[in-house]
Amino acid sequence: MHDLFNPRIPPENLMSGRFRVHAVKSDAMEPALRGGRDYALLAPVTAYQGEGIYLVDDGLSLDLYRVSSTLEKGGALCLSRENPRYGARTIGREEFNDRVVGIVVADIKVRSERFLAKP
């Protein structure tokens, strides 16, 4: 029987040194992730790991993109945002693998900023 009070993933796994926290800086992933307020927990990766939200070096900064396969020959990938104001673009898998920094494994939604501010 499933125990509702024991998560399947122990909290120690989330607090390991394997992950990095990235502040969401823009409105590109809103409403899912709010810029200037929310964070993403990332696992470092060096290649496409399947559909998901990735942190990618776009040449100007590090930014979050929803990435999916286009099923085109050569493995092209579609990079898009949650906010409909931003368009999508397609890049080759090799270029993506050169630019990817991490994959989002958890969203951190800030509910009360006052507890996170320095005293």
Side-chain angles (χ1 to χ4, degrees):
M1 184 174 159
H2 181 67
D3 187 351
L4 295 176
F5 299 104
N6 283 326
R8 296 184 319 187
I9 301 171
E12 303 82 51
N13 289 9
L14 295 175
M15 295 183 283
S16 79
R18 294 182 313 151
F19 301 111
R20 139 180 187 205
V21 175
H22 175 77
V24 178
K25 296 177 183 162
S26 73
D27 66 346
M29 295 306 285
E30 289 183 7
L33 294 168
R34 298 166 299 166
R37 185 153 183 174
D38 292 338
Y39 297 82
L41 185 66
L42 302 167
V45 295
T46 58
Y48 181 67
Q49 302 293 313
E51 291 189 8
I53 298 175
Y54 288 82
L55 184 66
V56 177
D57 181 348
D58 64 14
L60 300 173
S61 65
L62 298 177
D63 217 345
L64 296 169
Y65 291 88
R66 179 167 300 283
V67 181
S68 58
S69 175
T70 63
L71 302 176
E72 290 180 16
K73 188 175 182 178
L77 300 171
C78 178
L79 279 63
S80 62
R81 311 294 186 97
E82 299 294 310
N83 189 330
R85 292 185 355 197
Y86 296 86
R89 65 183 175 129
T90 302
I91 67 171
R93 193 171 295 224
E94 189 173 314
E95 180 182 354
F96 176 81
N97 292 346
D98 289 341
R99 294 175 174 260
V100 67
V101 175
I103 186 169
V104 175
V105 297
D107 302 344
I108 303 170
K109 301 266 189 192
V110 175
R111 303 287 180 216
S112 183
E113 294 174 2
R114 65 189 171 121
F115 292 101
L116 295 174
K118 290 185 179 181

